[in-house]
Amino acid sequence: MHYKPNEPNPFLCYGRLSKQAIVDARAIEDEDRLDYIARNQSKLRAEYVQGIFDAIEKGIYETNQVGKKVLLPSSHIGCKRYAIQNFHDGIAICRAYGPPDLFITFTCNPKWQEITELLLVGQQPNDRPDIIVRVFHMKLQEILDDLKSGQRFGSILGILYSIEFQKRGLPHVHILLWIEKKTMKSHLKQ
């Protein structure tokens, strides 16, 4: 998808058909990852014991049924174990620091100057998801760096965030922020 000046790029010049090619390429990548996991179940032993507990929890008691399913490790983004692991991490942070002090939502704006400057003549922002995601990621890093610096709200104990994509394809992020109570009071007085 990378743009090269003065060279035609089939991934960018065919509108929705270009997006279909990108989705197909991503599906092939996911299929390869899942195939690797399925073929290397014996090498991925970190989840073996948990797999037995999962099988018993689902009501599989026959030994010939246990082990027939492919177990996805928690490192596989989007699987149930990945979501459960992230949930447990979030709960552990809440147990250590209490409920979050701030809930911040940040949404990509397709009219940002950084996006509109890079569009070719006749292109709409939704024609260039590569630009949208890169600019959003840069701006998200700026916000996170600003929050971590302690200049806005004081000393930060913890940050937890989740990036999602809207139906229109624009990314947005939900940020939970834990602030040290001493510095929060002094910043609120200012």
Side-chain angles (χ1 to χ4, degrees), residues 95-165:
R95 185 176 50 224
Y97 299 121
D101 298 304
L102 291 175
F103 177 78
I104 302 169
T105 301
F106 176 67
T107 304
C108 179
N109 183 351
K111 295 181 182 179
W112 281 335
Q113 182 179 357
E114 295 89 341
I115 294 174
T116 57
E117 285 178 352
L118 295 173
L119 295 176
L120 300 175
V121 176
Q123 281 185 333
Q124 297 295 319
N126 64 353
D127 293 333
R128 295 297 304 271
D130 57 326
I131 294 173
I132 287 176
V133 169
R134 286 180 184 200
V135 171
F136 176 77
H137 181 70
M138 289 186 317
K139 291 200 177 259
L140 175 61
Q141 289 305 314
E142 287 177 18
I143 286 175
L144 292 175
D145 291 343
D146 191 34
L147 292 172
K148 290 176 187 176
S149 72
Q151 297 295 321
R152 297 280 179 207
F153 303 110
S155 181
I156 302 299
L157 295 173
I159 295 178
L160 185 66
Y161 65 92
S162 174
I163 300 173
E164 301 172 351
F165 287 82

Side-chain angles (χ1 to χ4, degrees), residues 34-65:
L34 291 170
D35 185 51
Y36 174 82
I37 291 169
R39 292 177 187 263
N40 293 290
Q41 286 287 292
S42 61
K43 294 178 186 175
L44 304 171
R45 298 192 52 91
E47 300 290 338
Y48 178 71
V49 174
Q50 183 64 38
I52 292 173
F53 288 126
D54 289 345
I56 292 171
E57 185 179 282
K58 291 178 182 173
I60 300 173
Y61 299 108
E62 301 292 324
T63 56
N64 63 350
Q65 293 176 338

Side-chain angles (χ1 to χ4, degrees), residues 29-39 70 72 76:
E29 182 182 337
D30 282 345
E31 186 178 352
D32 286 344
R33 287 181 181 174
L34 291 170
D35 185 51
Y36 174 82
I37 291 169
R39 292 177 187 263
V70 174
L72 296 176
H76 184 74

Side-chain angles (χ1 to χ4, degrees), residues 133 163-172:
V133 169
I163 300 173
E164 301 172 351
F165 287 82
Q166 298 171 338
K167 289 185 179 181
R168 295 178 293 153
L170 295 175
H172 69 277

